[in-house]
């Protein structure tokens, strides 16, 4: 999972990576005569910085000055890819940006985004959060266009760029046949676009961006627009949340204002796992704040799985809000039992097997004095393979804990995700193979409790039928064929 961002507990063991996010997208448009003042490439950089937890493999920004699009992208974190001098060369009044974790196609430079495509009508730079599930069918529509990358996004970009009538018309024709999860932010030389799949699986929000201190025509303050995966990214660039991009909706923003069109009937199925783990705590999705949801889940977890104990501790940082809720509802004091090194990131030299066998202490270390002799409740957000939680239980016991009771603020993850989150395969998911009693024994915990699916859903305050819960209950809202599964399906396909 994202590393070094201070909130996450997965990935303590490099061979037990947690759920990998599928990307963050960001876009901004300001009036052309505000380009110099607004510095859209820097706004996009800050937006991506706020979304870094959604993808750390590569980052990129495309900027248009109205006449041409320039793309800069590279492998690495946002702060590694961009510096002041690079951002100063990206001049214009429209920008789109992306931070990537790959779900279709390898993590290579070619597959980094924004993807770019030019046609007779001009250029198109596109960013995508999600994962398409009919990529081969879409690729087959590309009769003559060569693909430079092997991602589903590359296929989509080619389809949108090579249609007559510009991206708005092309999207109206193409998006209804695209299946899967897609929150898209893209642009041509003069317009910023955003679109969201009819299920609205991944979040995408619209914000108004005041162009500060400048009175335009009629004495009004000029305004720009921003779109982002999460509301937190709007906050960080000073944009005010306006609304979500609706499932099945596409918008276009340019000098003529904001246009919206519906290309498909909405069938909302927002990702439940965004509330569990993926989104930032300071983000709000479908009107429900993520942190409040996580604390509420902790309270419900205490009611569903009470235990006699002396202290509730989180697995830092992702277990923290649910641990706060658990402590509050149970009356058991909350405390810190594990210290995390937040600076162990993707570029960190991973330990060899021999070093790993000496114990995983590179990212977490127990606070012996706080935990020795205590009966502990350890709260974490989810279990994927179980290796991390097993290591934590052993670490706490070795540090003198009298009892270790593990509480998980999501139901068992028993099914893979095909909509943009890279969990392990079903065979690798511990809950795909073992029941709760067997998982408890495998972790070496004194007790283990998962929140029920109904309780988790109630904490989101969103009706069950408007949420995707497939990784928990196996009910996939968009049917997935065998042939469309797999991260590397376009590799070696010749297109
Ligand atoms: S399967 Fe799970 S992670 Fe994937 S979209 Fe559905 S709820 Fe989210």
């Amino acid at each position: 999972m994202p590393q070094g961002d201070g909130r996450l507990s997965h990935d303590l063991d490099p061979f037990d990576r947690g759920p990998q996010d599928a990307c963050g997208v960001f876009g901004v448009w300001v009036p052309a005569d505000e380009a110099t003042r607004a510095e859209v490439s820097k706004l996009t950089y800050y937006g991506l910085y706020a979304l870094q937890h959604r993808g750390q493999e590569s980052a990129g920004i495309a900027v248009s000055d109205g006449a041409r699009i320039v793309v800069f992208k590279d492998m690495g974190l946002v702060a590694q890819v961009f510096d002041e001098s690079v951002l100063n060369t990206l001049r214009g009044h429209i920008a789109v940006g992306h931070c990537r974790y790959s779900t279709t196609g390898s993590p290579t430079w070619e597959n980094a985004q924004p993807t770019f495509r030019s046609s007779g009508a001009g250029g198109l730079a596109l960013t995508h959060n999600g994962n398409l599930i009919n990529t081969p069918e879409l690729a087959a529509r590309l009769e003559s266009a060569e693909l430079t990358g092997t991602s589903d996004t590359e296929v989509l970009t080619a389809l949108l760029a090579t249609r007559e009538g510009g991206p708005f018309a092309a999207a109206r024709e193409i998006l209804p046949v695209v299946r899967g999860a897609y929150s898209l932010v893209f642009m041509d030389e003069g317009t910023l676009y955003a679109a969201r799949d009819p299920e609205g699986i991944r979040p995408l929000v619209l914000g108004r961006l005041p162009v500060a201190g400048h009175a335009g025509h009629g004495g009004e303050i000029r305004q720009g627009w921003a779109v982002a995966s999460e509301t937190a990214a709007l906050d960080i660039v000073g944009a005010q949340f306006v609304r979500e991009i609706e499932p099945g909706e596409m918008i276009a923003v340019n000098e003529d204002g904001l246009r919206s069109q519906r290309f498909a009937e909405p069938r909302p199925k927002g990702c439940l796992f965004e509330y569990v783990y993926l989104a930032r705590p300071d983000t709000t999705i479908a009107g429900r704040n993520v942190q409040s949801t996580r604390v509420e889940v902790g309270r419900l977890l205490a009611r569903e799985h009470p235990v006699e104990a002396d202290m509730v501790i989180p697995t830092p940082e992702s277990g923290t809000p649910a641990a706060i809720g658990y402590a509050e509802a149970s009356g058991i004091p909350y405390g810190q039992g594990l210290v995390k090194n937040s600076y162990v990131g993707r570029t960190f030299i991973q330990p060899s097997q021999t070093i790993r066998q000496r114990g995983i202490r590179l990212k977490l270390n127990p606070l012996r004095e706080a935990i020795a002799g205590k009966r502990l409740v350890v709260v974490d957000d989810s279990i994927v393979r179980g290796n991390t939680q097993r290591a934590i239980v052993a670490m706490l016991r070795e540090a003198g804990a009298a009892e270790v009771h593990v509480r998980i603020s999501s139901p068992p993850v028993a099914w893979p995700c095909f909509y943009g989150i890279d969990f392990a395969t079903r065979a690798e998911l511990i809950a795909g193979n073992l029941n709760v009693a067997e998982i408890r024994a495998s972790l070496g915990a004194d007790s283990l409790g998962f929140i029920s699916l109904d309780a988790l859903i109630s904490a989101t305050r969103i009706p069950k039928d408007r949420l995707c819960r497939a990784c928990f209950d196996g009910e996939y809202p968009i049917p997935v064929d065998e042939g469309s599964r797999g991260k590397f399906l376009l590799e070696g396909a010749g297109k």
Side-chain angles (χ1 to χ4, degrees), residues 301 305-307 326 377-380 405-409 447-449:
L301 188 56
H305 297 285
V307 66
Y326 194 102
V377 178
V378 187
V379 181
D380 207 345
H405 301 276
V406 176
R407 295 294 179 270
I408 304 295
S409 62
S447 73
L448 171 65

Side-chain angles (χ1 to χ4, degrees), residues 194-239:
R196 199 167 168 210
D197 59 80
E199 286 76 15
I201 289 188
R202 300 273 146 247
L204 191 62
V205 289
L206 173 68
R208 200 171 263 135
L209 185 77
V211 180
H214 179 75
H217 309 295
E220 287 173 21
I221 298 290
R222 311 288 301 279
Q223 71 169 26
W225 296 92
V227 274
S229 293
E230 297 188 26
T231 58
L234 296 182
D235 298 340
I236 266 107
V237 300

Side-chain angles (χ1 to χ4, degrees), residues 14 29 33-35 115 137 163 174 213 224 232 281 297 304 307 317 322 341 382 410 418 455 457 471 484:
W29 175 92
D33 55 357
E34 295 289 354
T115 48
E137 184 189 321
R163 287 292 182 281
I174 294 297
V297 172
E304 288 192 340
V307 66
E317 306 286 341
N341 183 347
S382 57
S410 65
F418 300 105
I457 290 168
C471 48
S484 300

